[in-house]
Amino acid sequence: MKWKEVCPYNPKLNLRDAYIYDTTLRDGEQTPGVCFTKEQKLNIARKLDELGIKQIEAGFPAVSKKEREIVKCISNEGLNAKILALSRALKDDIDKALNCDVDGIITFIATSPLHLKYKLHKSIDEVEEMGMNAVEYAKDHGLFVAFSAEDATRTPIEDLIRIHKNAEEHGADRVHIADTVGAGTPQSIYYICSELSKNLKKAHIGVHCHNDFGFAVINSIYGLLGGAKAVSTTVNGIGERAGNASLEELVMALMVLYDVDMELNISVIKELSKMVEEYSNMPVPVNKPIVGDRVFYHESGIHVDAVLENPLTYEPFLPEKIGQKREIVLGKHSGCKAVESKLKEMGIEVSRDKLWEIVKKVKETREGGEYIDDKTFKKIVNELLINNRQ
């Protein structure tokens, strides 16, 4: 059974050319305390490529010599994905990226009044000129160029439109709305992207959303609704402060809820999540959407009864599709069908009366503070069956 057969009112969007540029290896690594090794970055890049991500932002070459070596190694790995690098709107940064053999760059400069006054100490005209010089220089060297207005959601809309039109005229292939501190709302992101799409002729619009208010994924979707084509993500939503738009949440929301097929190999999503969890040393909450270890676990008797008949009664999609698994957990909320299912796994048949005794004992044991794992369940069953024979 397909999702659209279960939920016939899900909207159909014309987003077939939408794509992801993943920044796990750059913005994800900027999570305080995270530092991937060369082999770890390569493994993540390979797995992102296996997933089918179109563009991978491999790093920030200006950071260090080691970073440049790693970015260059990823660029020469022969992946299907295009490899991008981050650079400030500086010639030296772009030269460092060029020496890494990348396919393109994301060059950025802040545009909000707050950043202009307290960080750059420059006027909007000065930073606009710096940005355009960077775009032009990179294009002259044959790179794919995305121009990113940092802190775009706190920049006056008239400035955003003018600067991004200017970037397009200087050859930018894509322009980014960077919601740098997650201050955008779905409505504001939609508005900015829709206004930009009215004013741009060829350049794609990309959205780069942070999760400070928990809006990163929905803001990214509203960016697409407003006319954006590209979305920035990180695996497990890692990144500075509260992180970035979660790759797995965005992909599955678009696929399941909006019927947008991005032609990705989603079977590797859980494996990719586990890899990044291990390398970043950032534990994924067990209830994290999509990839949490327990998001397809069921205990409540009402739920379990229905899931055993048809999993889609209490699951938005089948966990096997992304490498996840379903578990029936026994506890105080368990009913007969859950216990009966567990008994069948063990190859044990009992009478109806004995089944009720086991269910009662399971509830009592859990309420007594003991977790009902397989070992505990077997102990309960054996004790009751032995007592019944005596």
Side-chain angles (χ1 to χ4, degrees), residues 19 132 145-149 157-177 191-207 223 226-230:
Y19 60 96
M132 297 314 108
V145 177
F147 172 76
S148 186
I157 186 67
E158 59 272 17
D159 289 336
L160 282 180
I161 292 173
R162 185 190 70 256
I163 292 170
H164 285 123
K165 283 179 67 176
N166 200 2
E168 181 185 55
E169 289 168 3
H170 279 77
D173 301 283
R174 190 169 70 218
V175 296
H176 290 174
I177 299 303
Y191 173 72
I192 292 169
C193 289
S194 61
E195 289 299 302
L196 265 183
S197 64
K198 294 173 187 175
N199 285 275
L200 298 177
K201 297 176 181 178
K202 294 188 298 182
H204 287 180
I205 299 169
V207 285
K229 296 295 182 187

Side-chain angles (χ1 to χ4, degrees), residues 11-18 224-225 227-229 258-260:
K12 179 72 174 178
L13 301 180
N14 184 26
L15 298 175
R16 296 196 182 280
D17 53 350
L224 292 173
L225 293 173
K229 296 295 182 187
Y258 290 91
D259 202 18
V260 175

Side-chain angles (χ1 to χ4, degrees), residues 21-254:
Y21 64 100
D22 187 83
T23 185
T24 303
L25 300 180
R26 198 278 300 171
D27 213 342
E29 195 187 30
Q30 288 179 205
T31 307
V34 174
C35 181
F36 297 128
T37 66
K38 176 182 177 180
E39 195 57 40
Q40 287 172 343
K41 275 202 169 190
L42 276 168
N43 286 340
I44 294 171
R46 291 174 188 134
K47 192 58 65 176
L48 286 167
D49 196 54
E50 186 180 349
L51 176 60
I53 297 301
K54 297 292 190 293
Q55 295 180 338
I56 298 171
E57 190 178 355
F60 191 175
V63 166
S64 69
K65 180 181 179 182
K66 184 70 173 178
E67 177 81 341
R68 291 192 287 279
E69 291 173 358
I70 296 173
V71 173
K72 186 168 186 174
C73 187
I74 295 172
S75 297
N76 293 314
E77 183 65 13
L79 303 178
N80 292 316
K82 298 297 183 183
I83 305 303
L84 308 182
L86 186 72
S87 76
R88 292 167 294 183
L90 300 171
K91 179 180 177 294
D92 186 58
D93 275 26
I94 298 170
D95 286 337
K96 286 183 170 67
L98 283 164
N99 289 333
C100 293
D101 301 332
V102 295
D103 299 296
I105 63 163
I106 297 171
T107 185
F108 72 98
I109 194 163
T111 56
S112 71
L114 191 65
H115 278 235
L116 293 174
K117 181 176 181 180
Y118 293 104
K119 186 181 77 170
L120 297 178
H121 307 290
K122 295 181 183 296
S123 69
I124 188 68
D125 291 336
E126 288 175 304
V127 301
E128 183 172 355
E129 182 179 4
M130 289 176 65
M132 297 314 108
N133 289 339
V135 171
E136 192 168 48
Y137 182 74
K139 288 305 296 182
D140 285 345
H141 287 77
L143 292 173
F144 170 93
V145 177
F147 172 76
S148 186
E150 188 184 12
D151 207 23
T153 49
R154 296 191 295 184
T155 298
I157 186 67
E158 59 272 17
D159 289 336
L160 282 180
I161 292 173
R162 185 190 70 256
I163 292 170
H164 285 123
K165 283 179 67 176
N166 200 2
E168 181 185 55
E169 289 168 3
H170 279 77
D173 301 283
R174 190 169 70 218
V175 296
H176 290 174
I177 299 303
D179 188 20
T180 302
V181 294
T185 63
Q187 294 78 12
S188 67
I189 298 291
Y190 177 90
Y191 173 72
I192 292 169
C193 289
S194 61
E195 289 299 302
L196 265 183
S197 64
K198 294 173 187 175
N199 285 275
L200 298 177
K201 297 176 181 178
K202 294 188 298 182
H204 287 180
I205 299 169
V207 285
H208 175 82
C209 298
H210 281 263
N211 205 37
D212 296 76
F213 291 91
F215 285 2
V217 171
I218 191 60
N219 279 350
S220 298
I221 291 173
Y222 266 71
L224 292 173
L225 293 173
K229 296 295 182 187
V231 182
S232 172
T233 63
T234 60
V235 178
N236 298 338
I238 65 173
E240 297 193 61
R241 302 183 313 282
N244 293 46
S246 163
L247 169 66
E248 58 280 358
E249 292 175 28
L250 178 79
V251 167
M252 296 311 295
L254 288 175

